[in-house]
């Protein structure tokens, strides 16, 4: 059998088709939503300590999972988590006056570490999403 008659997987054109403008816009939107979620979570977790912390972590985890579901890949988690991380790191830096948003308390550390753990969990659980039933069969 010649090599031209065999198929060795997806062609180069089908691999590059994933970088459509709509997909890029979805990643940009997830990055912006991650930034907004990180900034809002930084303020809410300190304002209403026990409930605000849980609310901000749930919002971050929900956004990370939505990024996975929307894009169907780990890149959705990466875009939203990158936006969240940019906002959180920006808010942890001190200003010249010595002020910063995060205080040195247990809630701040739980928010920082909990958001990172939620992003890692959502990025690794993406493998559990099953493909459509028809695409699993090799004969089709």
């Amino acid at each position: 059998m010649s090599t031209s008659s065999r198929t060795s997987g997806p062609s180069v054109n089908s691999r590059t088709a994933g970088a459509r403008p709509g997909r890029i816009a979805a990643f940009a939107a997830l990055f912006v939503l991650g930034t907004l979620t990180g900034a809002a979570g930084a303020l809410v977790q300190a304002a209403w300590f026990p409930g605000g912390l849980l609310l901000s972590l749930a919002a971050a985890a929900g956004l990370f999972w939505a990024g996975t579901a929307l894009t169907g890949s780990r890149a959705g988690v990466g875009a939203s988590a990158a936006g969240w991380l940019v906002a959180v790191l920006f808010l942890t830096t001190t200003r010249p006056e010595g002020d910063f948003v995060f205080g040195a308390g247990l809630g701040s550390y739980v928010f920082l570490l909990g958001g990172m753990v939620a992003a890692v969990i959502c990025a690794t659980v993406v493998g559990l999403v099953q493909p459509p039933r028809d695409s699993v069969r090799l004969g089709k």
Side-chain angles (χ1 to χ4, degrees), residues 35-116:
T35 305
L36 293 174
T37 304
L43 298 173
V44 169
Q45 64 89 19
W48 305 312
F49 173 62
L53 177 63
L54 293 174
L55 180 66
S56 61
L57 287 176
L63 177 66
F64 301 152
W65 184 256
T68 303
L70 179 67
T71 62
S73 68
R74 289 182 177 100
V77 176
S80 57
W84 182 87
L85 188 64
V86 164
V88 169
L89 289 179
F90 178 73
L91 293 173
T92 57
T93 59
T94 59
R95 295 179 25 187
E97 297 86 20
D99 298 334
F100 52 94
V101 174
F102 286 102
L106 180 65
S108 298
Y109 292 122
V110 170
F111 175 68
L112 293 172
L113 295 175
M116 288 185 246

Side-chain angles (χ1 to χ4, degrees), residues 1-7:
M1 182 186 304
S2 70
T3 57
S4 62
S5 64
R6 289 187 291 173
T7 58

Side-chain angles (χ1 to χ4, degrees), residues 4-51:
S4 62
S5 64
R6 289 187 291 173
T7 58
S8 61
S11 66
V12 174
N13 291 337
S14 66
R15 288 184 199 159
T16 58
R20 295 185 305 264
R23 191 165 172 86
I24 293 170
F27 289 135
L30 285 169
F31 182 84
V32 170
L33 285 172
T35 305
L36 293 174
T37 304
L43 298 173
V44 169
Q45 64 89 19
W48 305 312
F49 173 62

